[in-house]
């Protein structure tokens, strides 16, 4: 079984790389141990958005009176909410199966491991196969990170997978970690009626975001009834009783809190063990495979993309890396990926979207900056939609007008950030963006208005 390209892992890095390879005329196979689409389609990006949508619909109904509509005794069926999420994920995975057939890609189900001599061993229930290729791409992704003091048992201390498929909704939940996974599940469970407490080791929730965004989300969550403890370390969880007793410490001392379930949302770790790296001699560093700008590893003919290499562990990053990697293999000359212009999106409510430098990072880098902020409370569309929470914040270099970064929090801002990414890619200046006519009334006008605020030309503030 000889191929031009074998891809190990079928997440948004792997399946995209395989499709692009096939488009470029390369005979391609993809190896997958579980479900086509990887974590993103089956246990991450897609099913969580389905859960979030159910939570939003439930919230809309509860606030129907605000829109002049009466709805009596709205209830949710947690089992049906979970089932809808799983159905959406299954539908997307079937879509990847269709794409594999359409692009004539051989799908080999089983556990893949690279061997010397450009070979891949695939262990499956029906036996072991050895595949060969001129080029082998590793796209094995990541999994829920486990902390020694938070050993996941799948029942009382859970990871993101169990959080998506709990048979029964817990009355109370402690979420350890407030990155994208933590705050998205916090929103879902809180909206459904679970008492949610977030515990974050860093001084702010969503700690990678601009400080203004972190503060705005914390205010909103607290106003809605969530408990939030920042600069807090969870030391242990006692699961010997009916529920969980969480021990934690902060500046105020040591405390305990009882809850039904603890969700460990402390990030992801890479799947690089037991995939043959050592036998081939592929170099790793700090838990990631070492690659160059075209994703070549230290051993010719072997490549790596996605969560297991440098850069942000995001689906769209993995897809972009897969395309660059394969185009280089096919003899094209793709430009290296600009990791400084990658959008990050968090789908709690209100949503968060950002790209580029935070205000703090821009100052630390020595830029003289212009900062503009436009609140959605001043937006006609936001008022009409009943979504006045949040703002758009833009940061420009005062000397040249370079768009250094943008940070948004509010309804549907994840749909707005691409404008900023494109503007930065095209090296658009602040004045260019300010003079770009935006449609009215829209939420996206806030980008133009925030830019106007940075240049002291704002009209609607």
């Amino acid at each position: 079984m000889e191929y031009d390209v074998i891809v190990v892992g079928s997440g948004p890095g792997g399946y995209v790389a395989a499709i692009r390879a096939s488009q470029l005329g390369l005979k391609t196979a993809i190896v997958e141990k579980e479900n086509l689409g990887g974590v993103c389609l089956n246990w991450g990006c897609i099913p969580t958005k389905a859960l979030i949508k159910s939570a939003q619909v439930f919230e809309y109904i509860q606030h129907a009176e605000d829109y002049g509509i009466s709805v009596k005794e709205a209830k949710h069926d947690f089992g049906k909410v979970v089932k809808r999420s799983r159905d959406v994920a299954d539908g997307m995975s079937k879509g990847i199966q269709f794409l594999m057939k359409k692009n004539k890609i051989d799908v080999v189900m089983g556990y893949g491991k690279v061997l010397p001599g450009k070979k891949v061993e695939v262990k499956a229930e029906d036996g072991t196969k050895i595949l060969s290729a001129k080029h082998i791409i590793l796209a094995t992704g990541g999994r829920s990170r486990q902390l020694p003091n938070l050993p996941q048992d799948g029942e009382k201390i859970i990871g993101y997978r169990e959080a998506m498929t709990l048979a029964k909704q817990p009355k109370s939940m402690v979420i350890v970690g407030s990155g994208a996974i933590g705050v998205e599940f916090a929103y879902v469970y809180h909206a459904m009626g679970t008492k949610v407490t977030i515990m974050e080791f860093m001084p702010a929730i969503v700690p990678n975001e601009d400080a203004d965004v972190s503060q705005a989300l914390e205010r909103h969550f607290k106003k809605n009834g969530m408990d939030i403890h920042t600069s807090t370390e969870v030391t242990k969880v006692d699961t010997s009783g009916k529920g969980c007793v969480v021990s934690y410490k902060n500046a105020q001392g040591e405390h305990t809190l009882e809850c039904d379930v603890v969700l460990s949302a402390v990030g992801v770790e890479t799947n690089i063990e037991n995939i043959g790296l050592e036998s081939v001699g592929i170099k790793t560093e700090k838990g990631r495979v070492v690659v160059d700008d075209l994703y070549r590893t230290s051993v010719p003919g072997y490549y790596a993309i996605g969560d297991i290499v440098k850069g942000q562990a995001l689906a769209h990053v993995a897809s972009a890396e897969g395309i660059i990697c394969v185009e280089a293999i096919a003899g094209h000359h793709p430009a290296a990926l600009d990791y400084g212009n990658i959008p990050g999106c968090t789908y709690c409510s209100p949503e968060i979207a950002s790209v580029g430098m935070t205000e703090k990072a821009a100052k630390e880098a020595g830029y003289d900056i212009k900062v503009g902020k436009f609140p959605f409370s001043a937006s006609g569309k936001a008022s009409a939609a009943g979504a006045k929470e949040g703002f758009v914040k833009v940061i420009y270099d005062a000397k040249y007008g370079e768009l250094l970064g943008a940070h948004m929090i509010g309804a549907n801002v994840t749909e707005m950030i691409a404008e900023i990414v494109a503007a930065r890619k095209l090296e658009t200046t602040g004045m260019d963006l300010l003079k770009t006519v935006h449609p009215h009334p829209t939420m996206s006008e806030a980008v133009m208005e925030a830019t106007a605020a940075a240049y002291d030309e704002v009209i609607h503030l």
Side-chain angles (χ1 to χ4, degrees):
M1 300 178 83
E2 185 75 43
Y3 295 93
D4 294 315
V5 173
I6 297 170
V7 184
V8 181
S10 73
Y15 85 75
V16 167
I19 291 170
R20 188 69 186 117
S22 179
Q23 287 175 345
L24 291 167
L26 301 170
K27 187 183 179 191
T28 306
I30 194 160
V31 177
E32 173 53 55
K33 70 180 174 71
E34 194 175 351
N35 304 107
L36 286 176
V39 167
C40 179
L41 263 70
N42 295 285
W43 297 103
C45 336
I46 306 303
T48 51
K49 303 315 159 275
L51 290 175
I52 287 165
K53 191 63 194 178
S54 291
Q56 285 174 336
V57 169
F58 188 52
E59 262 196 337
Y60 292 156
I61 293 168
Q62 288 177 309
H63 293 94
E65 287 284 353
D66 298 346
Y67 299 86
I69 297 164
S70 294
V71 178
K72 287 183 182 172
E73 290 186 51
K75 292 177 185 165
H76 66 74
D77 182 325
F78 189 71
K80 285 182 180 175
V81 167
V82 168
K83 184 182 181 302
R84 176 179 181 271
S85 169
R86 299 316 309 154
D87 288 348
V88 168
D90 291 345
M92 294 297 292
S93 189
K94 285 187 177 77
I96 304 299
Q97 289 174 30
F98 164 75
L99 289 174
M100 295 298 107
K101 279 182 187 164
K102 178 188 166 191
N103 288 282
K104 298 181 175 59
I105 295 161
D106 287 352
V107 176
V108 184
M109 297 305 291
Y111 188 93
K113 195 171 182 178
V114 291
L115 302 173
K118 297 183 188 173
K119 289 182 169 58
V120 178
E121 173 193 85
V122 184
K123 281 188 178 170
E125 286 178 12
D126 60 351
T128 300
K129 298 185 183 90
I130 303 291
L131 315 178
S132 299
K134 294 173 190 148
H135 308 277
I136 296 168
I137 301 171
L138 289 165
T140 50
R143 63 186 184 277
S144 182
R145 185 170 158 234
Q146 299 229 25
L147 295 181
N149 56 333
L150 270 179
Q152 294 175 25
D153 59 18
E155 290 181 17
K156 290 183 179 176
I157 304 177
I158 61 174
Y160 58 77
R161 283 196 180 212
E162 294 84 8
M164 273 181 242
T165 54
L166 285 178
K168 186 179 166 201
Q169 182 184 348
K171 287 192 171 66
S172 57
M173 176 184 278
V174 168
I175 298 178
V176 184
S178 70
I181 293 170
V183 296
E184 287 180 9
F185 279 117
Y187 167 69
V188 168
Y189 277 97
H190 173 77
M192 296 283 186
T194 298
K195 173 62 185 169
V196 171
T197 302
I198 295 174
M199 296 192 181
E200 170 56 56
F201 184 74
M202 300 294 280
I205 63 169
V206 285
N208 292 332
E209 299 296 338
D210 187 89
D212 286 353
V213 168
S214 296
Q215 287 162 16
L217 185 65
E218 184 170 338
R219 274 196 308 271
H220 179 83
F221 274 4
K222 282 181 172 175
K223 187 176 90 178
N224 282 5
M226 275 189 225
D227 288 337
I228 295 176
H229 302 281
T230 50
S231 300
T232 295
E233 181 186 359
V234 173
T235 52
K236 68 172 184 178
V237 179
D238 181 355
T239 58
S240 60
K242 192 180 174 191
C244 304
V245 179
V246 180
S247 298
Y248 63 99
K249 63 180 180 182
N250 52 29
Q252 286 75 48
E254 297 188 10
H255 319 269
T256 59
L257 177 68
E258 291 183 26
C259 65
D260 293 337
V261 173
V262 173
L263 169 57
S264 178
V266 291
V268 294
E269 56 189 334
T270 55
N271 292 326
I272 62 167
E273 311 92 345
N274 305 316
I275 58 169
L277 299 182
E278 299 82 7
S279 70
V280 177
I282 294 169
K283 275 187 195 166
T284 63
E285 197 175 273
K286 294 178 181 171
R288 296 196 179 198
V289 178
V290 177
V291 291
D292 65 11
D293 286 346
L294 299 175
Y295 307 100
R296 296 176 290 209
T297 69
S298 57
V299 179
Y302 295 83
Y303 308 77
I305 60 170
D307 293 1
I308 63 171
V309 303
K310 63 186 177 181
Q312 301 94 323
L314 297 168
H316 43 284
V317 171
S319 297
E321 290 170 346
I323 289 167
I324 291 167
C325 177
V326 166
E327 288 182 349
I329 286 170
H332 295 212
H333 301 282
L337 188 60
D338 178 4
Y339 288 97
N341 196 32
I342 302 292
C345 295
T346 303
Y347 298 83
C348 53
S349 186
E351 290 182 350
I352 295 170
S354 60
V355 68
M357 291 182 171
T358 62
E359 182 177 352
K360 182 171 178 270
K363 284 176 179 171
E364 286 173 353
Y367 285 101
D368 180 18
I369 58 174
K370 288 181 179 289
V371 178
K373 203 168 165 185
F374 189 79
F376 287 121
S377 57
S379 158
K381 177 68 181 291
S383 289
K388 297 199 288 183
E389 287 276 343
F391 56 82
V392 170
K393 177 178 179 178
V394 288
I395 300 152
Y396 291 97
D397 168 34
K399 189 173 181 184
Y400 298 111
E402 181 187 354
L403 178 46
L404 299 173
H407 307 274
M408 309 177 182
I409 179 167
N412 297 318
V413 294
T414 57
E415 305 292 346
M416 289 165 50
I417 196 65
E419 173 184 0
I420 302 289
V421 182
R424 280 166 51 79
K425 174 85 172 165
L426 298 169
E427 299 183 355
T428 303
T429 66
M431 290 308 289
D432 289 335
L433 203 48
L434 173 54
K435 302 306 177 187
T436 299
V437 177
H438 284 60
H440 176 78
T442 59
M443 301 288 277
S444 64
E445 280 177 293
V447 172
M448 179 184 70
E449 294 278 19
T451 301
Y455 285 89
D456 296 320
E457 294 186 25
V458 68
I459 302 292
H460 292 103
L461 278 184

